[in-house]
């Protein structure tokens, strides 16, 4: 005579099986999301650059600029960007940036990104920004050793 399982043990085993499947599905989904997504990586890099300026960490910002960075409209490289950033950080103890990507095109390990930036600055403790400015940026990026770096940019003051 075959021995039957008690109904409680059978129900518990079925519940555990369903729970294991339910736990495995999100893990499998997350593993699938870990693949490289150039657009997401670029947006994250831009966000890190903005936070670096807000936190007065110029080195973190400059890490995203290629060593051969240039500006189209003149002789302006990474060293000039470093000097410009130092001046901005000295004049503004508190900086808030909002960067909005308006166009992003990826082609292999190259990308073009257009973004609009709103920056406000103030002395420490200032509740109301003392100055503000918008800019429009056109930038060219390349992926080097798995990291996106901007190698060329042009910008102009916004409205």
């Amino acid at each position: 005579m075959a021995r039957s399982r008690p109904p409680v043990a059978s129900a518990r085993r079925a519940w555990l099986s369903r729970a294991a499947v339910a736990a495995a599905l999100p893990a499998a989904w997350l593993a699938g999301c870990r693949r490289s997504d150039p657009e997401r990586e670029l947006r994250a890099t831009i966000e890190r650059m903005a936070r670096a300026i807000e936190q007065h960490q110029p080195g973190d910002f400059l890490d995203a600029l290629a060593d051969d960075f240039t500006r189209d409209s003149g002789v302006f490289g990474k060293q000039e960007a470093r000097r410009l950033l130092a001046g901005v950080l000295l004049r503004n103890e508190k900086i808030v940036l909002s960067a909005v990507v308006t166009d992003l095109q990826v082609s292999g390990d190259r990308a073009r990104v257009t973004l609009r930036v709103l920056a406000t600055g103030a002395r420490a403790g200032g509740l109301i920004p003392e100055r503000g400015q918008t800019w429009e940026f056109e930038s060219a990026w390349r992926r080097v050793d798995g990291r996106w770096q901007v190698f060329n940019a042009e910008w102009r003051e916004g409205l």
Side-chain angles (χ1 to χ4, degrees):
M1 202 175 203
R3 194 169 159 187
S4 66
R5 293 188 177 145
V8 172
S10 181
R12 181 178 298 157
R13 186 171 319 204
W15 182 86
L16 285 173
S17 295
R18 285 191 295 272
V21 169
L25 285 175
W29 180 77
L30 285 174
C33 289
R34 289 191 181 136
R35 65 181 173 77
S36 176
D37 182 349
E39 183 174 335
R40 184 175 44 216
E41 292 167 1
L42 280 160
R43 289 176 186 274
T45 300
I46 292 165
E47 179 66 24
R48 280 192 303 276
M49 292 173 78
R51 297 299 77 83
I53 291 173
E54 290 181 337
Q55 296 167 3
H56 285 246
Q57 300 293 326
D60 293 345
F61 174 86
L62 293 166
D63 283 346
L65 266 63
D67 289 337
D68 61 344
F69 172 81
T70 60
R71 181 176 181 184
D72 285 340
S73 65
V75 179
F76 190 95
K78 190 169 183 176
Q79 291 304 318
E80 289 76 19
R82 181 185 323 270
R83 286 187 206 106
L84 177 65
L85 185 55
V88 167
L89 296 178
L90 286 172
R91 284 190 309 274
N92 299 283
E93 295 177 53
K94 182 178 179 184
I95 299 173
V96 177
L97 288 178
S98 176
V100 177
V101 174
T102 57
D103 188 41
L104 193 151
Q105 299 170 6
V106 178
S107 179
D109 284 342
R110 299 281 179 140
R112 297 213 49 88
V113 180
T114 304
L115 60 140
R116 184 170 296 134
V117 175
L118 168 64
T120 59
R123 290 187 286 257
L127 295 175
I128 299 173
E130 297 169 338
R131 53 202 149 263
Q133 181 65 52
T134 61
W135 290 275
E136 304 285 331
F137 284 84
E138 299 282 334
S139 56
W141 297 72
R142 65 178 167 237
R143 189 176 1 213
V144 178
D145 298 328
R147 292 181 44 233
W148 286 101
Q149 290 187 316
V150 60
F151 66 90
N152 182 265
E154 186 60 39
W155 59 91
R156 62 190 173 284
E157 289 185 10
L159 298 174

